[in-house]
Amino acid sequence: MAAIECRALRKDYRRGDEVIHTLMDVDLSIDAGGFVALMGPSGSGKTTLLNLLAGIDRPTAGSIAVDGTEITRLGRGALAAWRSGTVGYVFQLYNLVPVLTAYENVELPLLLHPLTRAERHRRVSEALELVGLAARHSHLPRQLSGGQEQRVAIARAIVTRPRLLLADEPTGDLDRESAAQVMDLLARLNRELGQTIVMVTHDPATALRALRTVHLEKGSIVDATVRAEAAP
Amino acid sequence: MIVRFLPFTYAARNLGRSKARLAMSVGGAMLVALLAMGGTAFVLGMDGALRASGIDRNVVLLGAGSEESAERSEIAAATPGIVVASLRGIAAIDGIPLASPEVNVALTVDARGAGRDEPDAGGLVRGITPTAFLVHPQVRIRAGRTPTAGSDEVMLGRSAARAAGFDDAALARMLDAGTEPPQVRIDGRACRIVGLFDAPGTVMDGEAWMPLTDVLVLTRRETVSAVVLTLAPGATVGQVDAFAQRRIDLELSAIHEPEYYAVQGAFFRPVQVMVAASAGLVALGALLGGLNTMYGAFASRVRELAMLQVLGYGRIAVVASMAQEALIATMAGALAAAALAAAFLDGIAIHFSMGTFALVVDERTVAVGLAAGLITGIAGCMAPAVHCLRMPIPSALKAD
Ligand SMILES: Nc1ncnc2c1ncn2[C@@H]1O[C@H](COP(=O)(O)OP(=O)(O)OP(=O)(O)O)[C@@H](O)[C@H]1O
Ligand SMILES: [Mg+2]
C-alpha cells in the first residue's frame, strides 16, 4: 500500500463571489520511502497541495489517506496530534524560534510526546548529529548562517521520526553551496533512513535530486517523471 | 486528550525580544495598577475615616433642615441645656450628662506664627467643652492638656498638626517637656498650642479643637452647630428622634452618628467619583498603550505562532503561552506598583473640608492593583490571540 493516497483532491478559495480553483481533481500516490519533487509555476498550487498533505489545510473535496488514516475526517485536535506524530515540515524561511537555542528548537516538537528528559536529549543530539550541527547546539538562530538554520529546521522536522517529511522550497532562500548541503542531507535521509519526502522546488537541478518529479499547472498534475536513481 | 503546553522558557524569553516593548508593557500595567490602587486607597481612606468617626451609641442633634452638613447647622445657645434637662436616655459619667455642644467651622490654621514657611492650611476647627472628650472616646490626648477658655489656646489633632506643617512627634516632646509651645494663627488670631491628640482613622484626627466659647467669639456666632449625645443603656435613637419631633420649638433633628458621618460620605461621593473617574481615565490611556504594545508584540509573531501549530501544538497551548508572557509582564508591573503604593502612597494625608484622612494601602488596595495587572495581561493577550489564531494556518505561515 502507498504511504500517501490522494483521490480527486480539490481546493477552492472563495474571494467574494469569485471562486478560485487552486487544486482540481488531483490524484497522487506516493510510496513509502519515496522522494517526490513538486514543481510548477508560481500559483500552480504546490504549497496548497503540500499543506493538505501536512494536515494544516483542508480540501474542498476528495480524500487523503496517509498510512491508511483518512486525515480529512480528523477533527482539529486529532489532526494536530496526528501532525505531531506523523509529519515533519520544513519551511522556506526556516521558522526557527529566535529566542530558543538550536537544541531547544529541535526539542520543541518532542515536548508533545511522552518522553523522558534523557530520551529527548538522546533524540535531539542524534538529530543535530545527523545534520552536522552537534557542535552548534547552544547557538541561537541569529548566530547561525541561513544554511545552518535550515539544517536545524530539518533536525527539528525529523526528530520525532515522522513517516512523512514535507518541505516547501527548502533551498529557496539559500546560496548555492548551502542549498547543496541541504539537498545532500535530504537525499541522504531518503537513501539511508528510507525517509519519505515530498519537496516543493522551483529549481530543475534540485528536482533531479528526487526520485520522482510531479508537475503541477493551474491546479492539475500535468506530468510525472520517475527516475530509477536520483542525481548525485 | 492531554493538552501539552509550551515550555515556560519560551514565554519568559519572548519577553526579552524587545526591551522597549517590555518596558512599555510593564510600565503600562504598572501605571494602570498604580492608578487603580490610588483610587481605591482614596475611597477606602475616606470611607474608613468617615465610618470610624461615628459611634453606635451616639446621636447627633442638628438644626432642623441642615442634616447633610454640621457646618451649616445652627442651634440656639440655650438649646443644649434644655435638651439635657428634658430628654431622658442620655448617658452620664460621674453625674455629667454625655451631651456635647459643639461648633464646627472651617477656618485657616496657619503655622507661620511658629516660624514655619508652610502655606496656610484650611482646617476644620471644632469648638468644644470638656464633655467632647467623653462623647468622642476615639480622641486620646497624646501630649499636653485641653485648652482653657478665654486664653487663646488650641489643641491639635495629629493630622491637623502635620497639615499645619509641624512634626507631630517633636511637638509632643515639646509639650511633654513643658517648653514654650509654638503658636498658630487661627483665622488670624495667634493661639498657643497646649495639647496634641489623636483619633486614628477618624476625621477628628484632622481637626483643631478650641473651647466652644472662644470659637463663638472668634466667628461672632451665637449658635452652636450640633449637640452630640451618648445614649444611656436601653435608650434608642428613636427616642431622641421622637423628642426632636415633639419639641418643634427647638428646631432640632436627630441623626444616628454613624448615619451622620455616612451622610457626610454621601456628600463627598461626587469627590470620590471624580477622583476614581480621573484615575480611571488616565488608567484607560495607560491600558490602551499597554494593549497596543502587546498586540504589536504578538502580531509580529503570527508566522511563528502558526509554525507552533504545524508542529502539533494546540490553540490552547499557544494561548496559554501568550497569556503567560503577557501576565509575567503585567503582573511584574502590578507588583512594582503595589510596592510603590505601599512605600509612597500609604498614609499620605488628604485634606478635605471635613478634615483629613490617610490613603489606605491594605490587602484590599493591593488586591485591586493585582487585579488590574491581571485584567491588563488577559486583555493584552486576548485580542492578539483571537487575531492570530482565527487566521487559517496556511495564511498565517505566509505572514511576514
Ligand atoms: N488563502 C487564500 N485565499 C485565496 N487564494 C489563495 C489562498 N491561498 C492560495 N491562494 C491561491 O491559490 C493559488 C495557489 O497558491 P499556492 O500558494 O499553492 O501556489 P504555489 O504553487 O505554492 O506558488 P509559489 O510558487 O509562488 O509559492 C494561487 O493562485 C493563490 O493566489
Ligand atoms: Mg508556494
Side-chain angles (χ1 to χ4, degrees), chain A residues 51 56 76 80 83-84 91 95 97-99 104 108 111-112 156, chain B residues 4 10 13-14 17 303-304 307 309-313 315 394 397:
Chain A
N51 287 345
I56 57 180
R76 179 191 287 277
R83 278 200 301 274
S84 136
F91 307 87
N95 278 340
V97 177
V99 294
E104 289 163 337
L108 209 49
L111 297 173
L112 289 162
R156 178 180 66 187
Chain B
R4 297 214 174 248
Y10 174 64
R13 285 196 214 152
N14 274 326
R17 280 189 176 187
R303 194 151 52 89
E304 182 176 313
M307 178 279 291
Q309 295 178 76
V310 173
L311 293 188
Y313 284 98
R315 298 207 277 190
L397 285 173

PDB file of all heavy atoms in Angstrom, chain A residues 51 56 76 80 83-84 91 95 97-99 104 108 111-112 156, chain B residues 4 10 13-14 17 303-304 307 309-313 315 394 397:
ATOM      1  N   ASN A  51       0.375  21.636   1.942  1.00  0.00           N
ATOM      2  CA  ASN A  51      -0.344  21.922   3.190  1.00  0.00           C
ATOM      3  C   ASN A  51      -1.471  20.930   3.441  1.00  0.00           C
ATOM      4  O   ASN A  51      -1.771  20.586   4.588  1.00  0.00           O
ATOM      5  CB  ASN A  51      -0.904  23.350   3.170  1.00  0.00           C
ATOM      6  CG  ASN A  51       0.197  24.383   3.348  1.00  0.00           C
ATOM      7  OD1 ASN A  51       1.312  24.053   3.750  1.00  0.00           O
ATOM      8  ND2 ASN A  51      -0.109  25.634   3.021  1.00  0.00           N
ATOM      9  N   ILE A  56      -2.501  20.706   7.576  1.00  0.00           N
ATOM     10  CA  ILE A  56      -2.688  22.044   8.136  1.00  0.00           C
ATOM     11  C   ILE A  56      -3.690  22.831   7.306  1.00  0.00           C
ATOM     12  O   ILE A  56      -3.974  23.985   7.583  1.00  0.00           O
ATOM     13  CB  ILE A  56      -1.353  22.835   8.236  1.00  0.00           C
ATOM     14  CG1 ILE A  56      -0.665  22.954   6.890  1.00  0.00           C
ATOM     15  CG2 ILE A  56      -0.441  22.199   9.239  1.00  0.00           C
ATOM     16  CD1 ILE A  56       0.638  23.732   6.967  1.00  0.00           C
ATOM     17  N   ARG A  76     -10.003  18.921  14.584  1.00  0.00           N
ATOM     18  CA  ARG A  76      -8.860  19.820  14.752  1.00  0.00           C
ATOM     19  C   ARG A  76      -7.805  19.269  15.706  1.00  0.00           C
ATOM     20  O   ARG A  76      -6.616  19.227  15.384  1.00  0.00           O
ATOM     21  CB  ARG A  76      -9.360  21.169  15.267  1.00  0.00           C
ATOM     22  CG  ARG A  76      -8.260  22.177  15.493  1.00  0.00           C
ATOM     23  CD  ARG A  76      -8.801  23.366  16.256  1.00  0.00           C
ATOM     24  NE  ARG A  76      -9.644  24.198  15.412  1.00  0.00           N
ATOM     25  CZ  ARG A  76      -9.170  25.123  14.577  1.00  0.00           C
ATOM     26  NH1 ARG A  76      -7.866  25.306  14.480  1.00  0.00           N
ATOM     27  NH2 ARG A  76      -9.978  25.852  13.853  1.00  0.00           N
ATOM     28  N   ALA A  80      -4.052  17.779  14.868  1.00  0.00           N
ATOM     29  CA  ALA A  80      -2.831  18.332  15.455  1.00  0.00           C
ATOM     30  C   ALA A  80      -1.984  17.205  16.048  1.00  0.00           C
ATOM     31  O   ALA A  80      -0.765  17.157  15.858  1.00  0.00           O
ATOM     32  CB  ALA A  80      -3.175  19.370  16.519  1.00  0.00           C
ATOM     33  N   ARG A  83      -0.438  15.284  13.205  1.00  0.00           N
ATOM     34  CA  ARG A  83       0.707  16.010  12.645  1.00  0.00           C
ATOM     35  C   ARG A  83       1.950  15.793  13.498  1.00  0.00           C
ATOM     36  O   ARG A  83       3.035  15.524  12.997  1.00  0.00           O
ATOM     37  CB  ARG A  83       0.434  17.523  12.628  1.00  0.00           C
ATOM     38  CG  ARG A  83      -0.376  18.026  11.483  1.00  0.00           C
ATOM     39  CD  ARG A  83      -0.174  19.521  11.297  1.00  0.00           C
ATOM     40  NE  ARG A  83      -0.523  20.334  12.448  1.00  0.00           N
ATOM     41  CZ  ARG A  83      -1.739  20.777  12.704  1.00  0.00           C
ATOM     42  NH1 ARG A  83      -2.744  20.493  11.892  1.00  0.00           N
ATOM     43  NH2 ARG A  83      -1.968  21.520  13.754  1.00  0.00           N
ATOM     44  N   SER A  84       1.743  15.926  14.813  1.00  0.00           N
ATOM     45  CA  SER A  84       2.882  15.853  15.712  1.00  0.00           C
ATOM     46  C   SER A  84       3.556  14.479  15.668  1.00  0.00           C
ATOM     47  O   SER A  84       4.760  14.359  15.881  1.00  0.00           O
ATOM     48  CB  SER A  84       2.403  16.226  17.111  1.00  0.00           C
ATOM     49  OG  SER A  84       2.921  15.355  18.060  1.00  0.00           O
ATOM     50  N   PHE A  91      10.249  24.635   6.260  1.00  0.00           N
ATOM     51  CA  PHE A  91       9.769  25.856   5.609  1.00  0.00           C
ATOM     52  C   PHE A  91      10.871  26.528   4.811  1.00  0.00           C
ATOM     53  O   PHE A  91      12.054  26.372   5.115  1.00  0.00           O
ATOM     54  CB  PHE A  91       9.268  26.857   6.657  1.00  0.00           C
ATOM     55  CG  PHE A  91       8.262  26.296   7.614  1.00  0.00           C
ATOM     56  CD1 PHE A  91       8.665  25.649   8.781  1.00  0.00           C
ATOM     57  CD2 PHE A  91       6.897  26.412   7.356  1.00  0.00           C
ATOM     58  CE1 PHE A  91       7.730  25.135   9.667  1.00  0.00           C
ATOM     59  CE2 PHE A  91       5.961  25.903   8.244  1.00  0.00           C
ATOM     60  CZ  PHE A  91       6.382  25.258   9.402  1.00  0.00           C
ATOM     61  N   ASN A  95      11.794  29.284   9.917  1.00  0.00           N
ATOM     62  CA  ASN A  95      10.866  29.414  11.043  1.00  0.00           C
ATOM     63  C   ASN A  95      11.384  28.818  12.339  1.00  0.00           C
ATOM     64  O   ASN A  95      10.656  28.133  13.052  1.00  0.00           O
ATOM     65  CB  ASN A  95       9.508  28.779  10.706  1.00  0.00           C
ATOM     66  CG  ASN A  95       8.642  29.718   9.899  1.00  0.00           C
ATOM     67  OD1 ASN A  95       8.864  30.921   9.900  1.00  0.00           O
ATOM     68  ND2 ASN A  95       7.657  29.169   9.205  1.00  0.00           N
ATOM     69  N   VAL A  97      12.520  29.335  16.235  1.00  0.00           N
ATOM     70  CA  VAL A  97      12.143  30.308  17.265  1.00  0.00           C
ATOM     71  C   VAL A  97      13.402  31.069  17.668  1.00  0.00           C
ATOM     72  O   VAL A  97      14.356  30.468  18.157  1.00  0.00           O
ATOM     73  CB  VAL A  97      11.531  29.600  18.486  1.00  0.00           C
ATOM     74  CG1 VAL A  97      11.208  30.619  19.568  1.00  0.00           C
ATOM     75  CG2 VAL A  97      10.280  28.834  18.080  1.00  0.00           C
ATOM     76  N   PRO A  98      13.419  32.372  17.439  1.00  0.00           N
ATOM     77  CA  PRO A  98      14.659  33.137  17.627  1.00  0.00           C
ATOM     78  C   PRO A  98      15.166  33.162  19.059  1.00  0.00           C
ATOM     79  O   PRO A  98      16.360  33.378  19.280  1.00  0.00           O
ATOM     80  CB  PRO A  98      14.294  34.551  17.157  1.00  0.00           C
ATOM     81  CG  PRO A  98      12.809  34.606  17.162  1.00  0.00           C
ATOM     82  CD  PRO A  98      12.325  33.209  16.926  1.00  0.00           C
ATOM     83  N   VAL A  99      14.273  32.957  20.042  1.00  0.00           N
ATOM     84  CA  VAL A  99      14.724  33.047  21.437  1.00  0.00           C
ATOM     85  C   VAL A  99      15.152  31.689  21.995  1.00  0.00           C
ATOM     86  O   VAL A  99      15.550  31.600  23.151  1.00  0.00           O
ATOM     87  CB  VAL A  99      13.631  33.657  22.361  1.00  0.00           C
ATOM     88  CG1 VAL A  99      13.386  35.104  21.976  1.00  0.00           C
ATOM     89  CG2 VAL A  99      12.350  32.855  22.309  1.00  0.00           C
ATOM     90  N   GLU A 104      17.104  23.682  21.752  1.00  0.00           N
ATOM     91  CA  GLU A 104      15.723  23.872  22.223  1.00  0.00           C
ATOM     92  C   GLU A 104      14.731  23.890  21.071  1.00  0.00           C
ATOM     93  O   GLU A 104      13.601  23.410  21.199  1.00  0.00           O
ATOM     94  CB  GLU A 104      15.622  25.172  23.025  1.00  0.00           C
ATOM     95  CG  GLU A 104      16.322  25.085  24.369  1.00  0.00           C
ATOM     96  CD  GLU A 104      16.595  26.448  24.994  1.00  0.00           C
ATOM     97  OE1 GLU A 104      16.654  27.452  24.239  1.00  0.00           O
ATOM     98  OE2 GLU A 104      16.759  26.509  26.214  1.00  0.00           O
ATOM     99  N   LEU A 108      11.611  21.193  20.666  1.00  0.00           N
ATOM    100  CA  LEU A 108      10.235  21.698  20.752  1.00  0.00           C
ATOM    101  C   LEU A 108       9.159  20.680  20.348  1.00  0.00           C
ATOM    102  O   LEU A 108       8.205  20.466  21.101  1.00  0.00           O
ATOM    103  CB  LEU A 108      10.128  22.980  19.910  1.00  0.00           C
ATOM    104  CG  LEU A 108       9.110  24.035  20.317  1.00  0.00           C
ATOM    105  CD1 LEU A 108       9.180  24.372  21.792  1.00  0.00           C
ATOM    106  CD2 LEU A 108       9.332  25.307  19.489  1.00  0.00           C
ATOM    107  N   LEU A 111       8.479  17.799  22.905  1.00  0.00           N
ATOM    108  CA  LEU A 111       7.782  18.084  24.163  1.00  0.00           C
ATOM    109  C   LEU A 111       6.314  17.678  24.088  1.00  0.00           C
ATOM    110  O   LEU A 111       5.625  17.603  25.100  1.00  0.00           O
ATOM    111  CB  LEU A 111       7.888  19.577  24.512  1.00  0.00           C
ATOM    112  CG  LEU A 111       9.309  20.078  24.770  1.00  0.00           C
ATOM    113  CD1 LEU A 111       9.327  21.582  24.937  1.00  0.00           C
ATOM    114  CD2 LEU A 111       9.884  19.410  26.019  1.00  0.00           C
ATOM    115  N   LEU A 112       5.847  17.413  22.862  1.00  0.00           N
ATOM    116  CA  LEU A 112       4.463  16.963  22.701  1.00  0.00           C
ATOM    117  C   LEU A 112       4.348  15.451  22.891  1.00  0.00           C
ATOM    118  O   LEU A 112       3.262  14.902  22.858  1.00  0.00           O
ATOM    119  CB  LEU A 112       3.953  17.344  21.301  1.00  0.00           C
ATOM    120  CG  LEU A 112       3.714  18.837  21.077  1.00  0.00           C
ATOM    121  CD1 LEU A 112       3.640  19.166  19.600  1.00  0.00           C
ATOM    122  CD2 LEU A 112       2.431  19.267  21.785  1.00  0.00           C
ATOM    123  N   ARG A 156      14.766  19.540  13.424  1.00  0.00           N
ATOM    124  CA  ARG A 156      13.510  19.687  14.152  1.00  0.00           C
ATOM    125  C   ARG A 156      12.402  18.870  13.481  1.00  0.00           C
ATOM    126  O   ARG A 156      11.542  18.287  14.151  1.00  0.00           O
ATOM    127  CB  ARG A 156      13.111  21.168  14.202  1.00  0.00           C
ATOM    128  CG  ARG A 156      11.774  21.414  14.899  1.00  0.00           C
ATOM    129  CD  ARG A 156      11.410  22.886  14.937  1.00  0.00           C
ATOM    130  NE  ARG A 156      11.160  23.418  13.592  1.00  0.00           N
ATOM    131  CZ  ARG A 156      10.956  24.701  13.318  1.00  0.00           C
ATOM    132  NH1 ARG A 156      10.998  25.589  14.293  1.00  0.00           N
ATOM    133  NH2 ARG A 156      10.730  25.088  12.079  1.00  0.00           N
TER     134      ARG A 156
ATOM    135  N   ARG B   4      -0.673  19.505  25.874  1.00  0.00           N
ATOM    136  CA  ARG B   4       0.741  19.688  26.199  1.00  0.00           C
ATOM    137  C   ARG B   4       1.088  21.151  25.972  1.00  0.00           C
ATOM    138  O   ARG B   4       0.809  21.707  24.920  1.00  0.00           O
ATOM    139  CB  ARG B   4       1.609  18.779  25.353  1.00  0.00           C
ATOM    140  CG  ARG B   4       1.289  17.325  25.653  1.00  0.00           C
ATOM    141  CD  ARG B   4       2.508  16.444  25.543  1.00  0.00           C
ATOM    142  NE  ARG B   4       2.170  15.098  25.969  1.00  0.00           N
ATOM    143  CZ  ARG B   4       2.645  14.532  27.071  1.00  0.00           C
ATOM    144  NH1 ARG B   4       3.478  15.179  27.839  1.00  0.00           N
ATOM    145  NH2 ARG B   4       2.298  13.303  27.398  1.00  0.00           N
ATOM    146  N   TYR B  10      10.013  29.528  26.887  1.00  0.00           N
ATOM    147  CA  TYR B  10       9.615  30.174  25.638  1.00  0.00           C
ATOM    148  C   TYR B  10       8.931  31.512  25.938  1.00  0.00           C
ATOM    149  O   TYR B  10       9.308  32.562  25.401  1.00  0.00           O
ATOM    150  CB  TYR B  10       8.687  29.251  24.843  1.00  0.00           C
ATOM    151  CG  TYR B  10       8.104  29.877  23.598  1.00  0.00           C
ATOM    152  CD1 TYR B  10       8.928  30.258  22.542  1.00  0.00           C
ATOM    153  CD2 TYR B  10       6.736  30.106  23.487  1.00  0.00           C
ATOM    154  CE1 TYR B  10       8.397  30.838  21.406  1.00  0.00           C
ATOM    155  CE2 TYR B  10       6.197  30.686  22.357  1.00  0.00           C
ATOM    156  CZ  TYR B  10       7.032  31.053  21.312  1.00  0.00           C
ATOM    157  OH  TYR B  10       6.507  31.643  20.192  1.00  0.00           O
ATOM    158  N   ARG B  13      11.472  33.996  27.671  1.00  0.00           N
ATOM    159  CA  ARG B  13      12.488  34.615  26.808  1.00  0.00           C
ATOM    160  C   ARG B  13      11.864  35.524  25.759  1.00  0.00           C
ATOM    161  O   ARG B  13      12.503  36.467  25.296  1.00  0.00           O
ATOM    162  CB  ARG B  13      13.315  33.533  26.125  1.00  0.00           C
ATOM    163  CG  ARG B  13      14.291  32.916  27.100  1.00  0.00           C
ATOM    164  CD  ARG B  13      15.354  32.152  26.370  1.00  0.00           C
ATOM    165  NE  ARG B  13      15.738  30.994  27.157  1.00  0.00           N
ATOM    166  CZ  ARG B  13      16.214  29.882  26.629  1.00  0.00           C
ATOM    167  NH1 ARG B  13      16.354  29.781  25.319  1.00  0.00           N
ATOM    168  NH2 ARG B  13      16.546  28.885  27.413  1.00  0.00           N
ATOM    169  N   ASN B  14      10.633  35.233  25.378  1.00  0.00           N
ATOM    170  CA  ASN B  14       9.977  36.109  24.414  1.00  0.00           C
ATOM    171  C   ASN B  14       9.888  37.537  24.931  1.00  0.00           C
ATOM    172  O   ASN B  14       9.885  38.491  24.156  1.00  0.00           O
ATOM    173  CB  ASN B  14       8.562  35.605  24.100  1.00  0.00           C
ATOM    174  CG  ASN B  14       8.589  34.577  22.998  1.00  0.00           C
ATOM    175  OD1 ASN B  14       9.409  34.649  22.091  1.00  0.00           O
ATOM    176  ND2 ASN B  14       7.692  33.616  23.067  1.00  0.00           N
ATOM    177  N   ARG B  17      12.600  39.878  23.816  1.00  0.00           N
ATOM    178  CA  ARG B  17      12.792  40.168  22.389  1.00  0.00           C
ATOM    179  C   ARG B  17      12.963  41.650  22.126  1.00  0.00           C
ATOM    180  O   ARG B  17      13.758  42.056  21.297  1.00  0.00           O
ATOM    181  CB  ARG B  17      11.594  39.652  21.586  1.00  0.00           C
ATOM    182  CG  ARG B  17      11.676  38.182  21.337  1.00  0.00           C
ATOM    183  CD  ARG B  17      10.608  37.772  20.362  1.00  0.00           C
ATOM    184  NE  ARG B  17      10.759  36.361  20.055  1.00  0.00           N
ATOM    185  CZ  ARG B  17      10.056  35.734  19.124  1.00  0.00           C
ATOM    186  NH1 ARG B  17       9.163  36.377  18.417  1.00  0.00           N
ATOM    187  NH2 ARG B  17      10.256  34.462  18.909  1.00  0.00           N
ATOM    188  N   ARG B 303       3.565  34.312  12.144  1.00  0.00           N
ATOM    189  CA  ARG B 303       4.124  33.163  11.432  1.00  0.00           C
ATOM    190  C   ARG B 303       4.666  32.115  12.422  1.00  0.00           C
ATOM    191  O   ARG B 303       4.451  30.924  12.263  1.00  0.00           O
ATOM    192  CB  ARG B 303       5.242  33.641  10.493  1.00  0.00           C
ATOM    193  CG  ARG B 303       5.691  32.648   9.476  1.00  0.00           C
ATOM    194  CD  ARG B 303       6.204  33.364   8.222  1.00  0.00           C
ATOM    195  NE  ARG B 303       7.198  34.377   8.541  1.00  0.00           N
ATOM    196  CZ  ARG B 303       8.511  34.122   8.621  1.00  0.00           C
ATOM    197  NH1 ARG B 303       8.969  32.911   8.400  1.00  0.00           N
ATOM    198  NH2 ARG B 303       9.339  35.097   8.908  1.00  0.00           N
ATOM    199  N   GLU B 304       5.339  32.632  13.453  1.00  0.00           N
ATOM    200  CA  GLU B 304       5.903  31.720  14.450  1.00  0.00           C
ATOM    201  C   GLU B 304       4.805  30.958  15.200  1.00  0.00           C
ATOM    202  O   GLU B 304       4.928  29.755  15.453  1.00  0.00           O
ATOM    203  CB  GLU B 304       6.741  32.535  15.431  1.00  0.00           C
ATOM    204  CG  GLU B 304       7.426  31.716  16.491  1.00  0.00           C
ATOM    205  CD  GLU B 304       8.308  32.588  17.366  1.00  0.00           C
ATOM    206  OE1 GLU B 304       9.063  33.398  16.796  1.00  0.00           O
ATOM    207  OE2 GLU B 304       8.228  32.463  18.586  1.00  0.00           O
ATOM    208  N   MET B 307       3.615  28.302  13.035  1.00  0.00           N
ATOM    209  CA  MET B 307       4.600  27.211  12.984  1.00  0.00           C
ATOM    210  C   MET B 307       4.423  26.273  14.173  1.00  0.00           C
ATOM    211  O   MET B 307       4.478  25.054  14.036  1.00  0.00           O
ATOM    212  CB  MET B 307       5.997  27.819  12.938  1.00  0.00           C
ATOM    213  CG  MET B 307       7.131  26.818  12.924  1.00  0.00           C
ATOM    214  SD  MET B 307       7.548  26.152  14.547  1.00  0.00           S
ATOM    215  CE  MET B 307       8.240  27.610  15.329  1.00  0.00           C
ATOM    216  N   GLN B 309       1.771  25.596  15.677  1.00  0.00           N
ATOM    217  CA  GLN B 309       0.604  24.756  15.432  1.00  0.00           C
ATOM    218  C   GLN B 309       0.909  23.685  14.403  1.00  0.00           C
ATOM    219  O   GLN B 309       0.387  22.576  14.473  1.00  0.00           O
ATOM    220  CB  GLN B 309      -0.573  25.618  14.970  1.00  0.00           C
ATOM    221  CG  GLN B 309      -1.048  26.575  16.047  1.00  0.00           C
ATOM    222  CD  GLN B 309      -2.166  27.444  15.543  1.00  0.00           C
ATOM    223  OE1 GLN B 309      -3.295  26.996  15.425  1.00  0.00           O
ATOM    224  NE2 GLN B 309      -1.845  28.681  15.215  1.00  0.00           N
ATOM    225  N   VAL B 310       1.764  24.006  13.424  1.00  0.00           N
ATOM    226  CA  VAL B 310       2.177  22.988  12.459  1.00  0.00           C
ATOM    227  C   VAL B 310       2.892  21.855  13.195  1.00  0.00           C
ATOM    228  O   VAL B 310       2.671  20.683  12.917  1.00  0.00           O
ATOM    229  CB  VAL B 310       3.093  23.592  11.371  1.00  0.00           C
ATOM    230  CG1 VAL B 310       3.663  22.487  10.481  1.00  0.00           C
ATOM    231  CG2 VAL B 310       2.335  24.607  10.531  1.00  0.00           C
ATOM    232  N   LEU B 311       3.709  22.210  14.194  1.00  0.00           N
ATOM    233  CA  LEU B 311       4.414  21.184  14.962  1.00  0.00           C
ATOM    234  C   LEU B 311       3.443  20.288  15.725  1.00  0.00           C
ATOM    235  O   LEU B 311       3.803  19.186  16.104  1.00  0.00           O
ATOM    236  CB  LEU B 311       5.373  21.829  15.979  1.00  0.00           C
ATOM    237  CG  LEU B 311       6.579  22.594  15.455  1.00  0.00           C
ATOM    238  CD1 LEU B 311       7.487  22.979  16.611  1.00  0.00           C
ATOM    239  CD2 LEU B 311       7.346  21.777  14.428  1.00  0.00           C
ATOM    240  N   GLY B 312       2.232  20.786  15.966  1.00  0.00           N
ATOM    241  CA  GLY B 312       1.250  19.974  16.676  1.00  0.00           C
ATOM    242  C   GLY B 312       0.762  20.590  17.974  1.00  0.00           C
ATOM    243  O   GLY B 312      -0.037  19.989  18.684  1.00  0.00           O
ATOM    244  N   TYR B 313       1.260  21.795  18.303  1.00  0.00           N
ATOM    245  CA  TYR B 313       0.746  22.465  19.499  1.00  0.00           C
ATOM    246  C   TYR B 313      -0.669  22.953  19.244  1.00  0.00           C
ATOM    247  O   TYR B 313      -0.959  23.496  18.170  1.00  0.00           O
ATOM    248  CB  TYR B 313       1.646  23.638  19.901  1.00  0.00           C
ATOM    249  CG  TYR B 313       2.912  23.173  20.568  1.00  0.00           C
ATOM    250  CD1 TYR B 313       4.091  23.060  19.842  1.00  0.00           C
ATOM    251  CD2 TYR B 313       2.913  22.807  21.905  1.00  0.00           C
ATOM    252  CE1 TYR B 313       5.254  22.599  20.444  1.00  0.00           C
ATOM    253  CE2 TYR B 313       4.071  22.349  22.516  1.00  0.00           C
ATOM    254  CZ  TYR B 313       5.240  22.241  21.785  1.00  0.00           C
ATOM    255  OH  TYR B 313       6.378  21.778  22.381  1.00  0.00           O
ATOM    256  N   ARG B 315      -4.258  25.119  19.991  1.00  0.00           N
ATOM    257  CA  ARG B 315      -4.501  26.550  20.191  1.00  0.00           C
ATOM    258  C   ARG B 315      -4.492  26.907  21.671  1.00  0.00           C
ATOM    259  O   ARG B 315      -4.067  27.992  22.052  1.00  0.00           O
ATOM    260  CB  ARG B 315      -5.842  26.935  19.559  1.00  0.00           C
ATOM    261  CG  ARG B 315      -5.825  26.688  18.056  1.00  0.00           C
ATOM    262  CD  ARG B 315      -6.765  27.604  17.365  1.00  0.00           C
ATOM    263  NE  ARG B 315      -8.126  27.099  17.390  1.00  0.00           N
ATOM    264  CZ  ARG B 315      -9.107  27.631  16.672  1.00  0.00           C
ATOM    265  NH1 ARG B 315      -8.877  28.668  15.896  1.00  0.00           N
ATOM    266  NH2 ARG B 315     -10.316  27.131  16.737  1.00  0.00           N
ATOM    267  N   PRO B 394      -2.320  28.113   6.944  1.00  0.00           N
ATOM    268  CA  PRO B 394      -1.581  28.418   5.710  1.00  0.00           C
ATOM    269  C   PRO B 394      -1.414  29.917   5.469  1.00  0.00           C
ATOM    270  O   PRO B 394      -0.338  30.357   5.053  1.00  0.00           O
ATOM    271  CB  PRO B 394      -2.453  27.780   4.617  1.00  0.00           C
ATOM    272  CG  PRO B 394      -3.216  26.715   5.315  1.00  0.00           C
ATOM    273  CD  PRO B 394      -3.474  27.237   6.694  1.00  0.00           C
ATOM    274  N   LEU B 397       1.175  31.320   7.873  1.00  0.00           N
ATOM    275  CA  LEU B 397       2.551  30.952   7.510  1.00  0.00           C
ATOM    276  C   LEU B 397       3.129  31.891   6.454  1.00  0.00           C
ATOM    277  O   LEU B 397       4.331  31.981   6.287  1.00  0.00           O
ATOM    278  CB  LEU B 397       2.595  29.514   6.989  1.00  0.00           C
ATOM    279  CG  LEU B 397       2.472  28.419   8.053  1.00  0.00           C
ATOM    280  CD1 LEU B 397       2.367  27.051   7.405  1.00  0.00           C
ATOM    281  CD2 LEU B 397       3.652  28.462   9.013  1.00  0.00           C
TER     282      LEU B 397
END
